[in-house]
Amino acid sequence: MMQRTLLMKSLSLFKAQCQHSISFSSIAYKSFDLKACIVSLQSFANDKDLTKGKQVHCHMLRCGHLRVSPVPLTSLINMYSKCNLISDALTVFYSSPLDHNVFAYNAIIAGLIANDLSNRVSELYFRMREVGVLPDKFTFPCVLKACKNEVDVKKIHGLVFKLGLEVDLFIGSALLHSYLMYRNVDFALDVFEDLPEREDVVLWNAMINGYAQTGEFGSALIVFRWMIEDGVIPNRFSITGVLSALANYGEFYNGKVIHGFVIKMGFDSGVAICNALIDMYGKCSCVANAFEVFETMDDKDIFTWNSIICVHEQCGNHDGTLGHFKRMLSAGVRPDLVTVTTTLPACAHLAALRHGREIHAHMIVNGLRKDAADNEYDDTYIDNAILDMYAKCGSMREAQLIFDMMNFKDVASWNIMIKGYGMHGFGIKALELFSDMCKAELRPDDVTFVGVLSACSHSGLVKQGREFLAQMWPKYGVVPSIEHYTSVIDMLGRAGKLEAAYELLLTMPIKANSVVWRAFLAASRLHGNADLAEVAAKQVLDFEPDHCGSYVILSNIYGQTGRYEKVLEIRDAMKLQNVRKTPGCSWIELHNGVHVFITADKLHPEINLIYAGLNSLTARLREHGYTPESDAVESSP
């Protein structure tokens, strides 16, 4: 109250002086006037009232206050800095006839930091040291913010230690944040442990988030436990930091405990905390819990929608991803680059070309790529996402258009196109692209050769496929992996060269896994070789005794060759292992969305019309001589 009364009196007096041009002659009056000016400047600085601040400055110049005391200099620098006129603040600083004290240096350094001119701080700091002005506890926090590298931080730390200021809370906090900014968590921890008082929750939050950001999630959880043991009550920022650590560790149980604490403390209304809970549950593969948090939120920002969309996509629920994307648009929330780059893979997995085109159009119309206009890498990442969507949806014409328009193509761009052409049966085109990629002096990687060998497999290019496998290491420096051998074995099997495929499977330098044997099993079934199919099936069942596919394929082969006693044995083995055939699933994209069906599905609202259409189509096919391959499908026992 007394400070406010003094301020009001000072302002009134100053206004009266300006209006009546009162002249003060005595030293006592000048001293009082100087105090009133300083108080007024503080007020105008806080209000960012530049006009009145300049009036006070003029009055001080006229009265000669700036020649008798360094105190008003600091107030003027502070006023101009807070009014975003740092150039005027520097003019006042350099034009002062008096020697600068530590307060003047602190004011101008703090002003430079506040006005994003940290590059000029070192100049003033070195000048301060040269003229013998000793920094104090208010100097170092600002100077640390201007440090350009970790070496500078360590130099400041050394001087702080020499002056005995390492126990100061503000300096310690600044040092801690500086070390964490350069990801030196060990030095930050040393500073943290040396502080005599650690009741400030901000320090604990800095350590928790510092460890989380550097990927040391276990250490983040340990610091959080120390915080609780020291009796420091976590706040919202503590919770988001520890939830990030729990999410990356997959700690579902402890995540639930933190969720309970959030509810108990009343933090569950905070959007940031709810977003962190959604992310935590999603990374723990608990979609239902994430969805429950999402539905209970009254306010949802762009990060909320991105989080729930990412959760569905990470868990393979591509239909749910597109569903929430539609809800987001209906809620009037504008998607950003994170949204579209998460949603496009869902379109690719569902072959939902129409949805993918709509998202691509939305990006163009709303200029989303402009956010990354200055970042070539980001542009390429976005282009690759669009490219991958078109390729996987089978629209290679549109994929080629995007590819041709790309300013920069990385290895992933070429890989997407090669794989896209290969999977859709355009093997020659895929190999031409591979040749162009090499001419562009881009080095193929292991993913490139998976695409190339897959293209050879789907197009029957057996000779070329074998040559590529033989050249991978000698010519391109890529060591063949299990995926490459699987592609070649699949290629040989499709071409009917079962013996060659079997020989490669047995002699390859890598131990075969279930995927290789399953590819060989499918080839054996395709060409009706029951003996090799039986060998492959036994190998697959050794790797994956609970996998239904191998039982079904082997049962189909026995049925085709009339070995029905073996079919019964397979069924008995499935019952004994409690293996049930997973129902087949298919989907189709129509104008009003993606419709998903499973075997014998009767849940669709228009199921009667659908089955009527299927029966009509089947009847017409039979009229043209088509007979369904009923032996190729076995019901679950």
Side-chain angles (χ1 to χ4, degrees), residues 88 115 118 204 234 308 334 393 404 411 468 559 570 618 636:
D88 285 17
N115 286 272
S118 56
W204 291 94
I308 196 66
R334 180 180 172 182
C393 289
D404 291 340
V411 174
F468 278 119
I570 293 293
T618 304
S636 59

Side-chain angles (χ1 to χ4, degrees), residues 35-55:
K35 186 175 181 181
C37 289
I38 292 172
V39 174
S40 300
L41 282 172
Q42 291 173 348
S43 173
F44 298 148
N46 293 330
D47 295 339
K48 296 186 184 298
D49 193 336
L50 180 62
T51 302
K52 291 182 179 178
K54 284 186 173 181
Q55 289 175 356

Side-chain angles (χ1 to χ4, degrees), residues 431 449 452-457 460-472 484 487-488 491-492:
L431 297 190
F449 282 102
V452 168
L453 294 172
S454 177
C456 293
S457 176
L461 305 174
V462 177
K463 180 182 176 182
Q464 293 92 324
R466 283 181 154 177
E467 288 175 355
F468 278 119
L469 181 66
Q471 293 173 352
M472 279 180 63
H484 302 112
S487 296
V488 175
M491 175 189 71
L492 294 170

Side-chain angles (χ1 to χ4, degrees), residues 582-594:
T582 304
C585 179
S586 62
W587 54 87
I588 185 171
E589 183 187 26
L590 295 176
H591 60 87
N592 60 340
V594 177

Side-chain angles (χ1 to χ4, degrees), residues 29 70 99 122-123 134 214 224 242 284 294 298 307 321 327 329 340 344 392 488 542:
Y29 271 75
D99 292 335
S122 57
E123 168 195 336
L134 202 63
T214 54
F224 183 75
V242 78
C284 293
F294 176 80
D298 295 325
S307 295
T321 301
R327 283 186 61 185
L329 294 177
V340 296
L344 282 171
K392 287 181 178 175
V488 175
D542 285 342

Side-chain angles (χ1 to χ4, degrees), residues 421-422 424-428 430 453-462 494:
Y421 276 116
H424 296 299
F426 300 103
I428 299 297
L453 294 172
S454 177
C456 293
S457 176
H458 284 83
S459 299
L461 305 174
V462 177
R494 287 172 183 264

